[in-house]
Amino acid sequence: MSAPPKKQSSNAIKFLFGGLSGMGATLVVQPLDLVKTRMQISGAGSGKKEFRNSFHCIQTIIGKEGPLALYQGIGAALLRQATYTTGRLGMYTYLNDQFVERFKHNPGVLHSMAMGTIAGACGAFIGTPAEVALIRMTSDGRLPVAERRNYTNVLNALTRITSEEGITALWRGSLPTVGRAMVVNMTQLASYSQFKAYFRDGPLKMQEGIKLHFCASMLSGLLTTMTSMPLDIAKTRIQNMKTIDGKAEYRGTLDVLFRVARQEGIFALWKGFTPYYCRLGPHTVLTFILLEQLNQGYNKYVINSQKATGL
C-alpha cells in the first residue's frame, strides 16, 4: 500500500503569510515611514527646507502633534501591507515554486530579478489605493489647520477620495509607484541573495540565522534605497498633490524629478534617505523572519513537513 501524498502549502496560504509578515513588520517601523514621508514633501512648491534632519523632524512632530502622531495613518499602512506585500511576496513565492517545479533547480540571479520585477509590479498596482491614503494621512499634520483633509481613518480616506476626486484618484501616482516597486523588488531580492551567499560561503563563513539575515538585508536595503528613492520622492509628491482650479500640481514623474532637482537641488531627490534606509532594512529583516516562522509553524503543525520556508 503506497503512502498518502504529502500535503502541499496552498497558494492562498503563501499570499496570506506574505501579508501578515509585512503587517507585523510595519507595526515596528511605521514611525520611520511617517518621518520619511514628511521629509519628502517638505519644501514642495516653496523649496524651503522644513527639517534639518530626521531627528529634527521627529522632535517637531512630537512637539507639535504629540507622540501618538508618529503612528498617524497606521490603518492605511497596515492596509497597504495587506494588499501590496500580500501581492508581491505571494506572487514571488508562486513564481519561484513554479520555476523550481518546471526546471528542477533554483533560479539564478537574473531569474530572481525578473520574478521580483513582476511580483513588485503586481503588488504595487493592487496596493496603490492604500498607498495614496497612507501618504495623505501621514502628511496631514504638517498642513495648516484650514488645509487639512482630516480623514478619520483609512476607510474614510478611501471613501472621501473616491467621492471628492473620483475613483481614478485612488490610483494617482500608480506609474511611479509601480516603477519604484519594480526597482525595489528587482534590486532587493537579487542583491539580498548575493549578499547572503557571500557572507555564508565567503571568507566570513556566517552560519544561517538572524545575524546572517540582518547583515545581508541591511546591505541590500542600502543598495535598494539608493536606486529607488528618486522614484519614491516622485510617488510621494504626486500622491499628496492638490488640484487647484482643475490644474494638477505636477504633470507626471519626470516633471516632479526635474522640478525637485531645479528648485531644491539634485540631492533633494534623496531627501529622507536616513529614515527610508532605517525603515527598509529592518522591515526586510522582520518581514522575512516573520514569514519564515509562519511557514515553519504551518509546515510543522498543519502539513507535517520539515520544510523550513515557502520561499
Side-chain angles (χ1 to χ4, degrees):
M1 184 175 179
S2 60
K6 290 184 178 180
K7 294 181 181 178
Q8 296 283 327
S9 178
S10 69
N11 290 325
I13 288 294
K14 294 170 186 174
F15 280 79
L16 174 64
F17 285 172
L20 289 176
S21 60
M23 292 170 75
T26 290
L27 286 172
V28 178
V29 303
Q30 170 63 12
L32 291 170
D33 201 39
L34 182 137
V35 171
K36 181 264 298 182
T37 298
R38 292 287 182 93
M39 293 188 71
Q40 287 182 339
I41 60 177
S42 69
S46 66
K48 184 179 179 181
K49 194 173 183 179
E50 189 175 349
F51 306 111
R52 294 192 298 272
N53 50 49
S54 301
F55 295 108
H56 180 234
C57 182
I58 293 173
Q59 290 175 344
T60 303
I61 292 170
I62 293 176
K64 292 183 176 180
E65 305 168 51
L68 291 180
L70 292 174
Y71 274 89
Q72 195 172 49
I74 186 63
L78 292 174
L79 179 61
R80 177 183 181 274
Q81 294 299 320
T83 50
Y84 168 63
T85 303
T86 296
R88 80 179 182 105
L89 288 184
M91 180 59 70
Y92 182 79
T93 304
Y94 172 77
L95 292 174
N96 188 76
D97 288 350
Q98 291 297 309
F99 184 96
V100 173
E101 184 177 333
R102 180 172 181 179
F103 298 104
K104 309 303 180 186
H105 64 80
N106 291 324
V109 176
L110 293 178
H111 296 121
S112 294
M113 290 173 68
M115 290 188 291
T117 301
I118 295 170
C122 293
F125 186 79
I126 296 169
T128 295
E131 181 91 21
V132 172
L134 173 62
I135 294 298
R136 298 218 179 161
M137 293 177 75
T138 54
S139 63
D140 211 36
R142 65 176 287 275
L143 296 172
V145 176
E147 296 180 19
R148 293 180 185 176
R149 296 181 174 97
N150 294 318
Y151 299 132
T152 55
N153 52 56
V154 63
L155 183 60
N156 175 253
L158 295 173
T159 303
R160 281 182 52 192
I161 291 170
T162 302
S163 62
E164 294 170 7
E165 305 170 52
I167 194 168
T168 56
L170 293 176
W171 275 270
R172 180 177 291 168
S174 59
L175 287 179
T177 300
V178 170
R180 170 194 170 276
M182 291 169 70
V183 171
V184 165
N185 284 274
M186 179 184 70
T187 308
Q188 187 181 63
L189 295 172
S191 64
Y192 178 81
S193 63
Q194 293 302 302
F195 283 128
K196 183 178 176 182
Y198 174 78
F199 287 133
R200 185 184 57 217
D201 305 327
L204 296 178
K205 300 294 182 183
M206 282 189 182
Q207 297 296 315
E208 189 75 29
I210 293 178
K211 182 180 178 182
L212 173 63
H213 301 156
F214 178 83
C215 293
S217 63
M218 291 304 283
L219 286 176
S220 172
L222 177 62
L223 186 60
T224 305
T225 299
M226 293 170 64
T227 56
S228 66
M229 273 215 74
L231 284 172
D232 195 68
I233 289 274
K235 171 191 72 66
T236 299
R237 294 281 179 99
I238 290 173
Q239 290 175 338
N240 190 58
M241 71 180 180
K242 293 185 176 181
T243 301
I244 302 174
D245 297 328
K247 185 178 180 181
E249 188 177 356
Y250 300 107
R251 295 191 300 272
T253 303
L254 291 179
D255 184 42
V256 176
L257 297 178
F258 284 127
R259 285 173 60 179
V260 169
R262 185 174 64 252
Q263 296 174 2
E264 304 168 45
I266 188 71
F267 290 109
L269 293 174
W270 284 270
K271 188 184 289 184
F273 183 93
T274 302
Y276 188 100
Y277 172 54
C278 290
R279 174 199 177 278
L280 191 62
H283 193 276
T284 302
V285 174
L286 292 169
T287 297
F288 281 98
I289 287 176
L290 288 170
L291 181 62
E292 201 163 310
Q293 294 304 309
L294 287 169
N295 277 309
Q296 285 179 346
Y298 181 82
N299 289 328
K300 182 177 180 180
Y301 297 109
V302 178
I303 64 177
N304 298 318
S305 170
Q306 295 302 312
K307 186 179 178 183
T309 177
L311 288 176

